Amino acid sequence: EDAVYKVLSHFKSQGFHDIGFVASPVETTNFGLHRQAFTKNMLRLDLPIRDDNTLWVESSFDGAYVATAQHLAAGGKLAQCYFCTNDVIAYGFIKALREHNIRIPLAVSIIGFDNQQLARIVKPALTIVVQPIQSIGETAAALLLKRLRGDRAGFPAIHRLKTRLVMGASVKRSG
């Protein structure tokens, strides 16, 4: 939730109010949490939620590419900016936008989630939410050791760790 709040706050600070979400209907914990957090934080930040600003894609590069290309070919409109539920989906989304001569970030700004290594290579560099990988590993190891010792107290559990937004060049700067 904190990560999505950071994304939406950043978009709002850059003057965006027409914010979209590239989402997957695949039922994973992360995707579900991202969908819930998007809606909750759009309301929290007093930003309008428009159903037509959510682009539903399969959770793969090809799935995102095909769904976005079909949306654009059908004359579908785009929001000013998009939060992509993960970086792989963001790359497919970007490919389709480029093939339709939509310039990033001049026409559409994008923020991804995951900190894939490709985020540094893609042009323009993708602005991303970075997860604390070391903390995730340490927390997982500690939980595993606790379970191996037979301690089942507090299971199952959700642990929310702090994320950070790393600026690339995929978000148009205000001013």
Side-chain angles (χ1 to χ4, degrees):
E1 185 175 315
D2 175 61
V4 178
Y5 179 79
K6 287 176 184 173
V7 168
L8 299 177
S9 293
H10 181 66
F11 279 147
K12 186 174 182 177
S13 75
Q14 296 305 307
F16 297 116
H17 294 280
D18 186 27
I19 300 173
F21 183 36
V22 183
S24 174
V26 173
E27 287 302 323
T28 67
T29 300
N30 284 345
F31 288 173
L33 290 172
H34 291 173
R35 288 191 301 267
Q36 291 170 4
F38 182 82
T39 301
K40 179 180 180 179
N41 286 302
M42 288 288 283
L43 294 170
R44 179 179 171 192
L45 291 164
D46 197 29
L47 292 165
I49 299 172
R50 293 185 33 214
D51 288 340
D52 59 339
N53 278 351
T54 298
L55 182 59
W56 292 98
V57 303
E58 291 303 316
S59 61
S60 66
F61 175 89
D62 289 334
Y65 166 74
V66 168
T68 305
Q70 289 173 344
H71 176 76
L72 295 170
K77 297 188 186 231
L78 292 172
Q80 296 172 303
C81 56
Y82 284 87
F83 167 54
C84 296
T85 199
N86 72 22
D87 289 354
V88 172
I89 286 172
Y91 303 139
F93 181 63
I94 289 168
K95 180 181 179 191
L97 293 177
R98 281 194 179 136
E99 287 184 3
H100 284 81
N101 298 313
I102 296 168
R103 296 177 63 197
I104 303 157
L106 297 177
V108 175
S109 292
I110 302 167
I111 296 178
F113 190 101
D114 276 343
N115 192 23
Q116 297 268 330
Q117 295 294 327
L118 291 176
R120 297 179 201 136
I121 298 169
V122 170
K123 298 292 182 210
L126 187 60
T127 298
I128 52 174
V129 173
V130 175
Q131 299 182 78
I133 301 301
Q134 183 168 341
S135 294
I136 290 170
E138 290 168 354
T139 301
L143 290 171
L144 178 60
L145 290 172
K146 183 177 176 182
R147 290 286 304 258
L148 290 173
R149 288 191 300 268
D151 183 352
R152 301 213 184 287
F155 284 96
I158 295 177
H159 294 267
R160 288 184 169 81
L161 304 172
K162 292 290 180 192
T163 59
R164 61 190 174 91
L165 196 58
V166 175
M167 300 304 157
S170 65
V171 176
K172 184 177 177 182
R173 306 284 186 234
S174 64

